[in-house]
Amino acid sequence: AGVIAAYNLTGTAQSFSFTAGDVPELDPAGSCWVWDFFARTARRLEGGGRWTGSLPAGGYGLYLLLPEGRRCTFLGRTDKYAGFLALETVQETENTTIAVLYETGPVGWLAAQPPRRVAAGGLDLTGRLETAGPLCTLSLPEAPDRMVLEIDW
């Protein structure tokens, strides 16, 4: 994972761009997801693809770049700048993704299709799931310890 912060310290709008290759931890030829933290939107970058944008005078942006998972890519806590730090592990099989989180609260992941079922702590939370394009979000109930989130595809 990597984070790119963009600042426009000029008096006029400025354009900018970046690729996965700008983040040392990512494969420059691999696909990744870009999460625009402030716009609350995401876009998949194909291998070698370029993200382009524009910032108004005095504007700023925060972009989280995450390697693409098999079925989904976890953002972690959607209310925190480095929300992926809330994740302990993510394991994927053909039909299930299991994430263990250090923290509960609003969490999100990016996926090409919405899941069939979502459960946490033994509770079916599918009815609470919100989707907007590739973004799936869910507010997890408080837990005294780590929370296991199970997603069935």
Side-chain angles (χ1 to χ4, degrees), residues 47-64:
R50 179 170 295 279
W51 176 281
T52 58
S54 178
L55 293 174
Y60 53 90
L62 185 67
Y63 306 90
L64 177 62

Side-chain angles (χ1 to χ4, degrees), residues 41-136:
T41 60
R43 191 174 92 209
R44 185 176 176 270
L45 281 185
E46 297 287 338
R50 179 170 295 279
W51 176 281
T52 58
S54 178
L55 293 174
Y60 53 90
L62 185 67
Y63 306 90
L64 177 62
L65 285 76
L66 297 163
E68 185 173 31
R70 179 186 232 172
R71 288 283 200 155
C72 69
T73 299
F74 268 89
L75 298 171
R77 291 280 302 258
T78 56
D79 60 336
K80 295 190 174 186
Y81 295 129
F84 58 90
L85 294 175
L87 289 166
E88 180 178 310
T89 60
V90 177
Q91 296 178 340
E92 292 186 283
T93 65
E94 188 175 328
N95 297 316
T96 305
T97 302
I98 296 175
V100 179
L101 296 112
Y102 292 114
E103 300 178 40
T104 58
V107 298
W109 61 91
L110 303 166
Q113 66 182 40
R116 286 185 306 106
R117 181 180 160 277
V118 179
L123 300 172
D124 186 340
L125 302 176
T126 308
R128 294 187 191 174
L129 183 67
E130 295 181 25
T131 59
L135 177 63
C136 299

